[in-house]
Amino acid sequence: SKKPARVAVTGAAGQIGYALLFRIASGEMLGKDQPVILQLLEIPDEKAQNALKGVIMELEDCAFPLLAGIEAHSDPMQAFKDTDYALLVGARPRGPGMERADLLAANAQIFTAQGKALNQVASRDVKVLVVGNPANTNAYIAMKSAPDLPRENFTAMLRLDHNRAASQLAAKGGFKVGDIRKLTVWGNHSPTMYADYRFATVDGKSVKDAINDQEWNKDVFLPTVGKRGAAIIAARGLSSAASAANAAIDHIRDWALGSKGEWVTMGVPSNGEYGIPKDVVFGFPVTTEGGKYKIVEGLDIDAFSQERIDATLAELQGEQDGVKHLL
Ligand code: NDP
């Protein structure tokens, strides 16, 4: 049988963690033949550590055959030891009276420390997914804090935006959501993201032609996808957790096991593709194979799309400028 994979998860006692860990342990992320060791990180705070103990008891009580070990940590240097995967979920939420700059600074501190720890103790092939917001900028900070690891190992989650877009398109066009191919989301995981179905197909036919409604794209689809998180908070009184966890599973599964030629969306450091400056962690269409992703190149960017891409890039560069002095 296979050697267990080490999977570190931060913010493990939070909402997303609760929706995520059981699915990782049951084999939905890395495959039903891949044992896993969970290396869980929470803040040292007693309440968080106690909550983490409770989650671990529940994981034990599931008697998952693939779960080869569980560790609880409060120090990233221990949680990231030899880890093959790192899902960075824990982040500092915006508190009352907290300005955007304070939020960026608080998270910069967390992700600088975690990047440094990954740099020192993680597997050299570690695959890092940042979920905690602001996800793209947090991934950028972690990457910059880990100079000895390949920069392409650091990614941010745009997959929830991708899945939300697919679901809206399926409803509008009467498609089966699983039949939609070549969809992507450009940019920042924020309401400025640009979900782009110009290249999307169902059974080889153009989704754009089938929908044929540019007003709907601009006035309904993009705002609906962009503000979906807020709509869920309004309805549920809590932020989305199960769908965020599901997207994290999709992201790592496709990265690790391959997308079989299909496009998926990942936030990855740019190499200059589509005029996005090097190292900006940006949502791109990618294909994955053998544990590596490749940005889909050569797509035509029309004036409307360029405007959207410029806007989400400007927001990301603003965030980056806000943390530069901390790196
Ligand atoms: P959640 O588990 O609900 O969310 C965790 C992070 O994911 C937040 O930053 C959240 O951003 C982000 N996120 C990204 N996409 C989504 C999405 N679509 N829907 C919802 N959230 C999304 O937060 P909890 O407060 O329940 O749990 C966080 C845990 O992390 C706590 O237990 C805390 O102790 C821990 N923590 C751990 C740290 C560490 O390990 N070093 C550091 C800081 C916190 P947003 O805030 O924008 O919703």
Side-chain angles (χ1 to χ4, degrees), residues 17-28 55 58-59 62 64:
Y18 196 71
L20 180 63
L21 298 175
F22 298 85
R23 296 187 58 191
I24 298 174
S26 74
E28 287 180 62
V55 174
E58 286 202 72
L59 281 163
C62 293
F64 288 118

Side-chain angles (χ1 to χ4, degrees), residues 10-11 13-17 41-43 48 89-93 110 114 131-133 160 164 189 239-240 244:
T10 74
Q15 278 211 88
I16 295 175
L41 181 68
E42 258 300 346
I43 52 176
V89 177
R92 180 71 183 275
I110 294 170
Q114 295 191 355
V131 175
N133 279 316
L160 182 56
R164 285 168 171 168
H189 170 64
S239 60
S240 43

Side-chain angles (χ1 to χ4, degrees), residues 76-77 80-86 116-128 149:
M77 288 289 283
F80 297 155
K81 183 104 185 61
D82 299 326
T83 199
D84 302 299
Y85 299 88
K116 284 183 178 158
L118 286 163
N119 194 52
Q120 288 184 53
V121 300
S123 156
R124 298 301 86 182
D125 296 323
V126 63
K127 289 180 165 58
V128 181
L149 292 172

Side-chain angles (χ1 to χ4, degrees), residues 210-258:
I211 291 177
N212 192 21
D213 190 346
Q214 179 58 17
E215 295 297 301
W216 177 80
N217 180 34
K218 188 161 75 63
D219 299 335
V220 181
F221 173 71
L222 290 172
T224 302
V225 177
K227 295 183 201 146
R228 186 72 163 179
I232 290 167
I233 293 175
R236 211 171 82 92
L238 289 169
S239 60
S240 43
S243 54
N246 178 70
I249 300 254
D250 284 352
H251 177 117
I252 297 280
R253 184 200 58 222
D254 289 341
W255 188 3
L257 306 181

